[in-house]
């Protein structure tokens, strides 16, 4: 099945580029209430499932043992921008577990957003592993290991207990059987397993409703959603899509981006989970897709719907600040 | 007509993302020797036609009047990385015409490549208009105005004589009629007109062969190709695709990228021009498409073909330097 064009990039009144993709909106029982493209297709969810990968961090009691609050829990689910607050909070998290940067196995990189990267460079410093956009998730892994008395050495490899716990949580929540030949290595060196888009969406509906989950897991999921929606800066950063959508949502929507054009999301009040993939991997395309999909599920007249529709139609300005174009959802996404 | 998948992005052995596109390889008479997708489709060529936009700079005598050599001519055709050499050469070009940064109307931006942006930030400086990736093209416009005694004020607008000269050159070389309702504003504020992909390819075949051009225009084109292929650092910059391809080509191939996934190119020894568009606007997709298209046109056993085939299959490494995947041309592009 061809993926439909879901996003148009306009220059003036002309469509200059397009983004195709697949979207599934599913309830906790697995019924698809909205779909575009082949939702049975398996994709690498990448960082869009960090909330699931953080379940062992909550369920093991590690988060509570170290006295972590919403900010720390949000950071454990984050693909952050490496702003000073993000890097510092990751450092304090592992310090509480008696660890430092030397325990990390995610690698260092310059903040991916231009502003924090330039700000860091202007100080004369270089990035360390706390600036890695995944440093909060890795803090969660490391703190869970420390709490359970597991060696942290090699904690990023598929065979390590912490990764097996994360993989099991992903299987249980999504109902998908993970396969070794459908496994890649993520940017931060942990395994990423391909999961059908429809299963990812159902998984987030389950996290949002508790349907099919143990009471303990639903409580962990509830606290994760509460942390991320309360502290959206710690899930992403200044001017980032997740932060802006969850700030606008005031607790009503959970969203999480993943590399190569992935988004997972949930609307607890509707009992729905969402997963999508922009086929070409473009973040700009995936951001329009998720904002418009969330908007269309909300009732007309809802302020959040109106705000998300604005976020789904960003203006493009050139180097002099002149408006030269815009992104917009295609008719396949609005109708 | 659906554009075919031309590039696959692999993570491990799994195709994670894909890029679709349109490619035309055309001779100077307009005969298509290779095509994929709808090559009659009009696209914004963006910066991929800077060599054509630089024709008035050569034909007016401006380049010679100011004593410019290959580096300056290459920079006039460049989308450069804003490295110190690029910014400094743009400054000296307009200085020879008695102008300074205040004449520029392209806007300032941080270098788009991370390394030069961080290097500039580390000095405590901020970018000026000489760092704009189009500052060489604008130096060409400004020097041509100065040489011809035309006011530079508003030189970026469609109605200004220098833009009318550039548009006329584009029409004459490509044989396409430019239309006001198919015009957008480019990143550097000048107009960009939509042109059918097939016409763009034919235009570059004409520049490479002189067929259908006046002797004066062919001489200007010959000098532009010679400058760009001799000084490819000044067309792009460190580690950039145009620079690497033309360095490998040793004068045998001309290539030029444009924003939103465009490439134009020529192989003078074969009398062929090439134009392509990655539908989603991704530079990484367009780079694989152009390298593989150039490679397939060259004879088997040719060292340049082998080198371009390597450039068409870049490895993807993660933050720790572990190989996690690769880009590769699809079977629709290799067969």
């Amino acid at each position: 099945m061809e993926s439909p064009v879901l996003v148009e990039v306009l220059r003036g009144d002309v469509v200059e580029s397009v983004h195709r993709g697949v979207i599934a909106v599913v309830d906790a029982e697995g019924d698809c209430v909205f779909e575009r493209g082949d939702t049975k297709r398996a994709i690498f969810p990448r960082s869009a499932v960090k909330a699931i990968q953080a379940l062992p961090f909550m369920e093991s009691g590690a988060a509570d043992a170290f006295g972590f609050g919403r900010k720390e829990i949000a950071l454990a689910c984050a693909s952050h921008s490496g702003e000073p607050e993000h890097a510092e909070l990751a450092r304090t998290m592992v310090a509480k577990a008696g660890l430092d940067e030397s325990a990390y196995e995610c690698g260092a990189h310059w903040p991916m957003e231009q502003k924090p990267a330039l700000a860091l460079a202007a100080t004369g410093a270089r990035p360390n592993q706390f600036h890695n956009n995944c440093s909060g998730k890795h803090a969660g892994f490391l703190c869970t290991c420390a709490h359970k008395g597991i060696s942290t050495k090699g904690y990023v490899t598929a065979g390590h207990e912490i990764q097996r716990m994360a993989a099991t949580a992903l299987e249980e929540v999504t109902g998908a059987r993970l396969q070794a030949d459908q496994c890649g290595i993520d940017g931060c060196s942990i395994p990423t397993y391909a999961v059908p888009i429809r299963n990812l969406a159902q998984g987030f509906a389950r996290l949002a409703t508790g349907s099919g989950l143990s009471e303990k897991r639903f409580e962990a999921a509830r606290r994760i959603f509460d942390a991320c929606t309360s502290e959206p800066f710690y899930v992403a950063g200044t001017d980032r899509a997740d932060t802006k959508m969850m700030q606008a949502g005031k607790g009503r929507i959970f969203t999480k981006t993943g590399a190569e054009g992935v988004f997972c999301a949930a609307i607890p009040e509707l009992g729905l989970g969402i997963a999508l993939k922009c086929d070409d991997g473009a973040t700009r395309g995936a951001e329009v897709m998720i904002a418009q999909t969330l908007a269309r599920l909300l009732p007309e007249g809802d302020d959040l719907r109106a705000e998300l529709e604005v976020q789904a139609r960003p203006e493009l300005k050139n180097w002099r600040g002149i408006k030269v174009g815009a992104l917009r959802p295609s008719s396949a996404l609005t109708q």
Side-chain angles (χ1 to χ4, degrees), chain A:
Chain A
M1 190 195 298
E2 294 276 329
S3 300
V5 169
L6 298 176
V7 176
E8 295 172 333
V9 182
L10 295 160
R11 183 160 299 267
D13 299 323
V14 180
V15 175
E16 180 170 29
S17 301
V18 295
H19 296 288
R20 293 169 180 271
V22 181
I23 302 175
V25 182
V26 180
D27 66 22
E29 283 64 51
D31 288 330
C32 227
V33 304
F34 175 79
E35 65 180 322
R36 291 291 181 270
D38 176 13
T39 59
K40 290 181 182 164
R41 195 173 106 206
I43 61 164
F44 288 133
R46 309 291 301 274
S47 292
V49 292
K50 278 177 171 162
I52 297 174
Q53 293 167 328
L55 287 170
F57 170 61
M58 304 302 297
E59 294 168 357
S60 67
D64 288 328
F66 296 114
F68 294 148
R70 286 168 165 167
K71 287 180 182 172
E72 289 88 348
I73 296 169
L75 196 73
C77 304
S79 298
H80 64 70
S81 295
E83 295 174 70
E85 298 90 334
H86 301 126
E88 178 57 19
L89 188 58
R91 194 189 62 71
T92 63
M93 284 175 74
V94 297
K96 286 194 179 169
L99 300 169
D100 59 22
E101 194 199 342
S102 64
Y104 268 87
E105 299 181 4
C106 58
H109 67 81
W110 286 94
M112 289 185 286
E113 295 292 299
Q114 193 185 55
K115 271 191 187 175
L118 295 171
L120 182 62
T123 68
R126 292 188 60 80
N128 56 44
Q129 296 192 80
F130 295 125
H131 294 95
N132 186 307
N133 76 93
C134 300
S135 71
K137 176 180 67 180
H138 285 252
F141 291 147
L142 289 166
C143 291
T144 306
C145 288
H147 177 65
K148 290 177 67 80
I150 308 168
S151 165
T152 63
K153 193 169 160 55
Y155 74 91
V156 296
T157 56
H160 190 280
E161 187 174 341
I162 194 74
Q163 296 307 331
R164 290 208 306 270
M165 290 166 73
T168 300
L170 185 61
E171 281 200 321
E172 291 173 352
V173 169
T174 64
R177 180 104 192 105
L178 305 185
Q179 295 169 305
D181 66 350
Q182 294 282 301
C183 180
I185 300 170
D186 213 322
C188 68
S189 293
I190 72 163
T192 181
Y193 294 91
V195 176
I197 293 171
R198 197 181 286 198
N199 290 71
L200 288 167
Q202 185 180 0
F204 278 83
R206 283 180 174 152
L207 293 180
T209 60
S211 174
L213 304 185
S214 68
E215 219 166 286
K216 183 180 178 183
R217 176 151 287 172
F218 183 39
E219 173 63 10
R222 203 194 51 69
R223 289 181 66 193
I224 285 173
F225 276 20
D226 173 61
C228 293
T229 58
S230 301
E231 297 289 351
F233 170 80
Y234 285 91
V235 179
T238 306
D239 291 334
R240 293 272 306 281
D242 280 317
T243 300
K244 288 193 291 181
M245 286 188 288
M246 288 196 281
Q247 277 174 343
K250 300 187 177 73
R252 296 175 61 198
I253 53 173
F254 168 84
T255 72
K256 182 65 190 73
T257 191
E260 291 292 330
V262 180
F263 260 99
C264 288
I267 309 183
E269 70 193 43
L270 300 178
L272 296 174
I274 303 163
L276 65 84
K277 162 86 179 172
C278 178
D279 282 6
D280 57 71
T283 297
R284 70 176 185 183
E287 289 177 351
V288 171
M289 292 176 199
I290 191 64
Q292 181 64 25
T293 301
L294 288 164
R296 70 174 293 145
L297 296 170
L298 296 168
E300 296 210 32
D302 188 320
D303 285 350
L304 178 55
R305 176 181 170 130
E307 169 59 25
L308 290 165
E309 283 178 340
V310 170
Q311 292 190 23
R313 288 156 182 82
E315 286 192 355
L316 297 175
K317 293 184 176 177
N318 76 0
W319 305 120
R320 282 172 89 195
I322 300 167
K323 184 186 170 186
V324 293
L327 276 73
R328 70 178 178 201
S330 74
S331 58
L333 187 45
T334 56
Q335 284 166 9

